[in-house]
Amino acid sequence: MLLKIHPKNPEMRKIVKAVQILQKGGVIIYPTDTLYGLGCDIHNTRALERICRIKGIKMRKSNFSFICNDLSHLSEYTAPIDNSTFRLLKKVLPGPFTFILKASSTVAKLFRNNKKTVGIRIPNTQIAQMLVKELGRPILSTTLNTKEMGEFLEYYTDPEDIYDAYKHQVDLVIDGGYGNQNPSTVVDCSKGEPIILRQGIGILPIEV
């Protein structure tokens, strides 16, 4: 299914429809403030396994992001963080960042392994935030595979192209307009001082 949702003023009835698909174990593709994401309900293991098959990856070795709508989920899915890290998150989120933090025991149970860290994202987009808020918990998410363009690889940006490529693999593609071609900035805060692992769109402030 392809569902067009207004990116600035999302229609609540359409958000509810998308969340109902997540609640039933569905896999969706949805827009963020960077790339389009492939996501499912964080508590649905079968849906997570489907995403791994779509991506061609193994769950135990995969890196997923927890898409949140605010920082209230941190206490459940991450170990306690220091004040300087919290100030940094509060200053730049919502925004195009993925923060790597120490995982709580809840994460290990979700992934059925001894996962030490977790990626936290709060995209600066109404659709993603409203989906999480209506669901009541984070969306487990990963970016779509790149597509081959001759000698080059690039990310999908056109939701209609995404639908054509994935309509037989996912339950819903949300058309929230063209996506970005650049990923989030990945910042590792699991060992204290923030370390940029991947420079994306997000620019860290010099001082917090």
Side-chain angles (χ1 to χ4, degrees), residues 16-36:
V16 169
K17 187 173 185 177
V19 169
Q20 287 174 341
I21 290 173
L22 289 170
Q23 290 171 333
K24 293 176 181 178
V27 172
I28 70 169
I29 294 174
Y30 67 100
T32 73
D33 52 356
T34 54
L35 309 170
Y36 265 78

Side-chain angles (χ1 to χ4, degrees), residues 132-145:
V132 174
K133 188 173 182 179
E134 182 66 20
L135 182 62
R137 50 187 173 269
I139 293 174
L140 199 64
S141 184
T142 182
T143 57
L144 294 177
N145 287 327

Side-chain angles (χ1 to χ4, degrees), residues 12-58:
M12 194 61 205
R13 61 182 177 82
K14 294 183 179 180
I15 293 293
V16 169
K17 187 173 185 177
V19 169
Q20 287 174 341
I21 290 173
L22 289 170
Q23 290 171 333
K24 293 176 181 178
V27 172
I28 70 169
I29 294 174
Y30 67 100
T32 73
D33 52 356
T34 54
L35 309 170
Y36 265 78
L38 180 65
C40 68
D41 184 343
I42 196 171
H43 289 162
N44 195 299
T45 303
R46 288 189 177 181
L48 174 56
E49 290 171 348
R50 279 183 62 193
I51 289 180
C52 290
R53 288 195 297 271
I54 292 170
K55 291 271 291 188
I57 54 180
K58 293 183 178 180

Side-chain angles (χ1 to χ4, degrees), residues 51-84:
I51 289 180
C52 290
R53 288 195 297 271
I54 292 170
K55 291 271 291 188
I57 54 180
K58 293 183 178 180
M59 185 165 66
R60 290 180 178 274
K61 297 181 179 180
S62 303
N63 292 318
F64 289 87
S65 295
F66 287 23
I67 305 298
C68 307
N69 67 306
D70 57 37
L71 295 175
S72 62
H73 296 292
L74 289 183
S75 60
E76 184 173 358
Y77 299 105
T78 71
I81 60 176
D82 58 50
N83 290 334
S84 61

Side-chain angles (χ1 to χ4, degrees), residues 51-132:
I51 289 180
C52 290
R53 288 195 297 271
I54 292 170
K55 291 271 291 188
I57 54 180
K58 293 183 178 180
M59 185 165 66
R60 290 180 178 274
K61 297 181 179 180
S62 303
N63 292 318
F64 289 87
S65 295
F66 287 23
I67 305 298
C68 307
N69 67 306
D70 57 37
L71 295 175
S72 62
H73 296 292
L74 289 183
S75 60
E76 184 173 358
Y77 299 105
T78 71
I81 60 176
D82 58 50
N83 290 334
S84 61
T85 299
F86 185 79
R87 286 197 300 269
L88 175 60
L89 269 60
K90 194 171 181 180
K91 185 166 187 175
V92 302
L93 296 176
F97 294 90
T98 300
F99 283 96
I100 308 300
L101 303 170
K102 289 182 180 179
S104 68
S105 58
T106 301
V107 174
K109 293 176 183 177
L110 288 172
F111 286 91
R112 299 176 181 174
N113 60 19
N114 192 25
K115 199 167 182 63
K116 302 293 186 182
T117 60
V118 61
I120 297 293
R121 280 271 279 131
I122 305 179
N124 189 20
T125 171
Q126 286 294 310
I127 292 175
Q129 290 190 27
M130 288 177 69
L131 287 172
V132 174

Side-chain angles (χ1 to χ4, degrees), residues 180-198:
N180 209 305
Q181 186 59 246
N182 299 300
S184 64
T185 296
V186 179
V187 185
D188 187 352
C189 294
S190 64
K191 299 175 182 177
E193 194 72 19
I195 300 172
I196 296 177
L197 301 183
R198 180 185 71 194

